[in-house]
Amino acid sequence: MVASLVLSFTDYDLVRAPRVVGAQNYRDLVTDPRLLTAMRNTVIYTVLHVPLAMLLALGLAMVLNRLARGQGFFRTLVYLPVMTPPVAIGAMFLLLLNGRTGLVNEVLSWIGVTGPAWTTDPAWIKPGLVLMSVWTVGGTAVIYLAALKDVPAQLHEAATLDGANAWQRFRNVTLPMISGTVYFTLIVNTIASLQSFTEVYTMYFGNAATASSSGDAALLYAVYLFQQAFQFLHMGYASAMAWLLFLVILLITIVQVRVARRRVYYEGG
């Protein structure tokens, strides 16, 4: 981190020795239109992905928690996609989301829906990335399942005796008791989304055909940082980008900590 901070004040191409340029890289960040595009794409992706991933993971965890038999098997089944290498996920979804021959559009056609061009239409590229991201939602689901198992059964029994229905029990008993876990996954998933790289790079920037068809609609911040560092050899500028991302993540995390702290319940706290 210290080395990248020093490099962020230099012009360095990995071949010649670094040349000090002061704050020029940081001034260039403000006027770089592709950086602003990458930042906007990343924010949109994060806003779409984080709530959806958390809701799906919580739903899966609640289903698993209600299973009387085979819970270990289904828990493993839900978690297995997390073990898939990110490059393989990107390649797989490039095929699944193909607008003409992809399985997703094929399934949609069974119910009379014409699927969009997920990988070429700029309006559908980010929703396609979000759809791909839920493939690994099992990791968050397992965390939620562990939290659900720690909710005391007597609290649900008392709420039921008081006439609470299923939604009221979830809202007033389950959700407060697992709020610490929800808070943790909110922060972790937000940080991970802001740094998304491998799957997106594999899908849209791994070969010239997909890169040209997607334009800048799939250009996330980490992808553009990688391009600046290892494709254009602007290591000083890429270091400045890395520090900007670090500061943005730090600021967002501080806001989340201060806002969510009042709504999180810790037993015995």
Side-chain angles (χ1 to χ4, degrees):
M1 290 183 67
V2 173
S4 70
L5 181 60
V6 173
L7 287 175
S8 70
F9 294 100
T10 68
D11 178 13
Y12 181 40
D13 62 3
L14 298 176
V15 179
R16 294 181 293 271
R19 179 174 60 88
V20 176
V21 294
Q24 185 60 47
N25 288 326
Y26 291 95
R27 287 193 291 268
D28 290 343
L29 291 176
V30 181
T31 58
D32 186 347
R34 293 198 76 210
L35 182 137
L36 296 177
T37 298
M39 187 172 291
R40 181 172 63 251
N41 290 343
T42 303
V43 169
I44 293 173
Y45 168 78
T46 301
V47 169
L48 292 174
H49 165 250
V50 173
L52 178 62
M54 293 176 66
L55 287 172
L56 286 176
L58 183 56
L60 278 172
M62 294 184 69
V63 171
L64 289 173
N65 195 44
R66 294 178 65 88
L67 292 177
R69 301 178 62 182
Q71 188 177 112
F73 169 77
F74 287 106
R75 183 174 64 239
T76 302
L77 196 64
V78 166
Y79 189 78
L80 273 178
V82 181
M83 307 301 293
T84 309
V87 172
I89 294 175
M92 177 178 67
F93 273 88
L94 187 60
L95 298 175
L96 292 176
L97 296 177
N98 185 286
R100 291 177 296 178
T101 60
L103 181 61
V104 173
N105 282 0
E106 178 68 22
V107 172
L108 289 176
S109 69
W110 296 346
I111 56 176
V113 176
T114 301
W118 298 96
T119 59
T120 56
D121 187 345
W124 284 98
I125 284 178
K126 281 182 280 294
L129 293 177
V130 173
L131 185 62
M132 174 186 65
S133 70
V134 301
W135 174 257
T136 56
V137 78
T140 304
V142 170
I143 295 174
Y144 284 150
L145 178 61
L148 289 171
K149 289 189 174 298
D150 282 340
V151 178
Q154 57 266 30
L155 293 181
H156 285 289
E157 294 170 359
T160 301
L161 291 174
D162 288 340
N165 57 33
W167 167 249
Q168 290 171 329
R169 292 196 301 273
F170 171 76
R171 179 182 176 184
N172 299 306
V173 178
T174 303
L175 199 54
M177 292 299 295
I178 67 170
S179 58
T181 303
V182 173
Y183 169 53
F184 166 75
T185 56
L186 172 64
I187 292 178
V188 170
N189 282 328
T190 299
I191 293 173
S193 297
L194 291 171
Q195 298 181 88
S196 294
F197 170 74
T198 308
E199 296 92 334
V200 181
Y201 189 86
T202 302
M203 285 185 69
Y204 292 103
F205 301 93
N207 63 76
T210 53
S212 60
S213 64
S214 65
D216 282 346
L219 185 67
L220 298 189
Y221 194 95
V223 173
Y224 188 48
L225 191 157
F226 177 86
Q227 288 180 335
Q228 287 292 336
F230 300 106
Q231 184 175 336
F232 308 138
L233 300 183
H234 298 159
M235 187 60 70
Y237 186 67
S239 297
M241 286 184 62
W243 273 91
L244 175 61
L245 179 61
F246 169 75
L247 293 175
V248 169
I249 291 176
L250 179 63
L251 178 61
I252 292 174
T253 303
I254 290 173
V255 171
Q256 288 177 328
V257 168
R258 294 196 172 184
V259 171
R261 183 182 297 166
R262 309 170 194 167
R263 301 181 179 273
V264 175
Y265 168 77
Y266 292 105
E267 190 172 3

